Amino acid sequence: MKLLLTNIQQLLQTRENPPQKVSGTEMNHLPSINNAWVLIKDGIISDYGEMKNIPNVEGFKPIDCTGKIVMPAWCDSHTHIVYAGNREQEFVDRIKGLSYQEIAEKGGGIVNSAKKLQETSEKELYKQSAQRLEEVMKLGTAAIEIKSGYGLTTEAESKMLRVAKKLEKNYPVTVKTTFLGAHAVPTEYKEKKTEYIDLICNEMLPKIAEEKLADYVDVFCEDGYFSVAETERILKEAQKYKLTPKIHVNQFNAIGGIAAGVKYNALSVDHLEVLTDEDIEALKGSETMPVALPPCSYFLSISYTPGRKLIDAGLPLALATDYNPGSTPSGNMNFVVSTACIKMRLTPEEAINAATINGAYAMGISDTHGSITKGKVASLIITKAVPSYGYLPYSFGSNLIDSVIIKGELV
């Protein structure tokens, strides 16, 4: 399909020579063109500019964007969108006073999801996950990272990643997959964690690599889950299979996971609700992207990632949903951007940069996604008529998306 978007009130994130990521004060700069047009051909951004310079082209479907904003579609770099069932009972338990850790200790949490997933057929798992993917596409997400981690057996972890690969094949969304066998310790290994780590290193990783099911490797580095030493063992083993780390760190405690991630050249370190000055120093000078997951903080009523502190320290920041059944049963990136502004004190410019160009970096797709650039994939959001882009995070309860284009196709 060939598309010509015209009379765009404001075209956001226009970059002729885009950086891989933006950091510090640069995050507050959001280049844009008023009264603009965009030409899309063969799923790629062919050209764009001001309406006064619009070329005379034929054979393109016109889309009038009067009063509307056009911007790159969201890049959600941290999700667990492939899962079975739900955990609404734990939601009620938390309302009644139980903590996330207490629920996990009595057999809930990740282990609960793993049991459901192991009992769910691959066909049914795909069906449930596809419904969620279709929903987030309509909400403006065109690139998504999908983790395993709710299987906790070799077969169930592989099943999750096969479903993620099938989603990539059947939908226009760009998908990156991450192996997260070290998400929790299965009940049967509760008193023999080392044996479970042996299973991850000696059986799961080789199988995942052999079947080319994952782009990245992840570990939940946290008290009660996997220690820094255990995390490093898994990351070191993953190096044999050229799996780059993207790791869960500092959700509840700062135990040195960020420094470990940087040591192993992690593409991203995600969560960071608890952050020390030492953690910030570890990130400085690295190529590792800090990723905040504000819906998780909202849902669990825990601290928000100190995004303001990270940016003011000259660091980059990406935003993602953490879409999962236990701590973030939502994949709405629009809510993520709003929450980052409302609760983390990011400016609209910083939040949009974090959810587009920096989100793309955190997925390893900076060359093709995250900005309005000639030659990049034509995955765009067209808003409804709005007064400004600041209105998007301001009106946090409204769906302000008119339409979504993914790889040149109207969703």
Side-chain angles (χ1 to χ4, degrees):
M1 184 181 291
K2 299 177 181 179
L3 301 175
L4 179 61
L5 281 56
T6 61
N7 302 312
I8 302 166
Q9 177 186 207
Q10 196 167 32
L11 181 62
L12 300 186
Q13 197 63 285
T14 53
R15 297 180 185 266
E16 286 294 323
N17 298 295
Q20 293 286 295
K21 62 180 185 293
V22 289
S23 307
T25 56
E26 280 299 307
M27 286 197 65
N28 205 36
H29 176 56
L30 188 63
S32 62
I33 299 174
N34 294 329
N35 195 21
W37 57 273
V38 174
L39 192 62
I40 296 171
K41 184 179 179 181
D42 299 326
I44 300 297
I45 298 170
S46 177
D47 205 355
Y48 62 90
E50 296 181 63
M51 280 300 294
K52 65 182 181 182
N53 298 321
I54 190 169
N56 184 17
V57 294
E58 296 180 354
F60 287 78
K61 178 181 178 179
I63 299 179
D64 185 1
C65 299
T66 299
K68 301 173 182 178
I69 288 171
V70 174
M71 60 189 290
W74 306 124
C75 297
D76 188 352
S77 67
H78 183 128
T79 84
H80 308 255
I81 199 169
V82 174
Y83 63 84
N86 56 65
R87 299 207 322 245
E88 80 274 19
Q89 184 53 52
E90 294 175 16
F91 170 67
V92 176
D93 288 342
R94 275 201 311 280
I95 292 171
K96 293 178 177 178
L98 290 181
S99 70
Y100 184 84
Q101 291 96 327
E102 286 170 335
I103 290 169
E105 287 168 4
K106 71 170 199 170
I110 296 163
V111 172
N112 182 13
S113 283
K115 184 174 184 295
K116 289 179 181 177
L117 189 134
Q118 291 164 15
E119 295 169 351
T120 301
S121 70
E122 190 165 324
K123 182 178 180 181
E124 176 60 24
L125 183 62
Y126 175 84
K127 179 182 176 183
Q128 293 181 27
S129 303
Q131 290 175 341
R132 289 187 283 267
L133 184 62
E134 289 171 5
E135 179 187 19
V136 301
M137 287 167 61
K138 293 173 184 175
L139 291 169
T141 294
I144 192 166
E145 182 253 19
I146 302 175
K147 301 179 188 293
S148 66
Y150 288 122
L152 306 186
T153 67
T154 303
E155 175 49 37
E157 289 289 302
S158 300
K159 178 168 65 175
M160 292 185 73
L161 292 169
R162 285 196 301 268
V163 167
K165 288 291 187 182
K166 189 175 179 182
L167 292 171
E168 179 183 27
K169 181 180 178 181
N170 293 341
Y171 289 90
V173 178
T174 297
V175 174
K176 288 291 186 177
T177 53
T178 300
F179 168 60
L180 178 55
H183 200 193
V185 178
T187 305
E188 61 269 28
Y189 286 93
K190 195 169 185 180
E191 304 302 325
K192 45 184 181 178
K193 190 203 285 188
T194 301
E195 290 185 25
Y196 181 63
I197 297 172
D198 289 342
L199 180 70
I200 291 171
C201 293
N202 301 330
E203 184 176 305
M204 291 188 187
L205 274 169
K207 179 177 173 61
I208 297 301
E210 181 185 358
E211 297 186 15
K212 295 182 170 60
L213 293 176
D215 302 296
Y216 304 114
V217 63
D218 197 348
V219 180
F220 189 9
C221 183
E222 179 59 72
D223 283 345
Y225 292 87
F226 296 89
S227 70
V228 172
E230 291 163 344
T231 297
E232 291 200 16
R233 182 191 166 192
I234 294 166
L235 298 186
K236 186 174 182 179
E237 192 68 25
Q239 286 180 331
K240 297 178 183 178
Y241 307 101
K242 296 181 170 55
L243 292 175
T244 301
K246 282 172 57 67
I247 62 174
H248 285 58
V249 289
N250 291 50
Q251 183 173 4
F252 302 111
N253 302 279
I255 62 173
I258 288 177
V262 171
K263 176 181 175 182
Y264 283 86
N265 300 309
L267 180 59
S268 71
V269 285
D270 302 24
H271 273 293
L272 317 184
E273 288 89 346
V274 178
L275 204 63
T276 67
D277 290 341
E278 290 78 14
D279 293 326
I280 289 176
E281 288 302 313
L283 286 164
K284 286 182 178 178
S286 77
E287 294 301 313
T288 300
M289 176 66 70
V291 179
L293 311 168
C296 179
S297 299
Y298 175 85
F299 193 74
L300 294 182
S301 298
I302 60 176
S303 299
Y304 286 85
T305 303
R308 180 79 273 135
K309 187 175 183 179
L310 285 162
I311 294 170
D312 290 347
L315 292 167
L317 181 68
L319 293 170
T321 62
D322 194 21
Y323 195 174
N324 75 79
S327 62
T328 312
S330 169
N332 189 341
M333 282 292 288
N334 306 283
F335 177 73
V336 170
V337 169
S338 291
T339 307
C341 294
I342 296 165
K343 294 295 187 180
M344 293 168 55
R345 295 178 49 232
L346 268 65
T347 65
E349 294 85 355
E350 290 168 338
I352 291 170
N353 272 319
T356 54
I357 196 165
N358 282 1
Y361 180 91
M363 294 175 64
I365 56 172
S366 295
D367 291 342
T368 54
H369 292 71
S371 65
I372 304 295
T373 301
K374 293 175 191 175
K376 282 198 174 186
V377 171
S379 292
L380 311 172
I381 291 170
I382 303 173
T383 73
K384 296 175 182 176
V386 293
S388 71
Y389 63 76
Y391 190 79
L392 301 177
Y394 161 79
S395 187
F396 70 93
S398 300
N399 182 358
L400 298 175
I401 293 178
D402 179 75
S403 52
V404 178
I405 297 169
I406 301 182
K407 293 182 179 175
E409 299 289 334
L410 280 163
V411 174

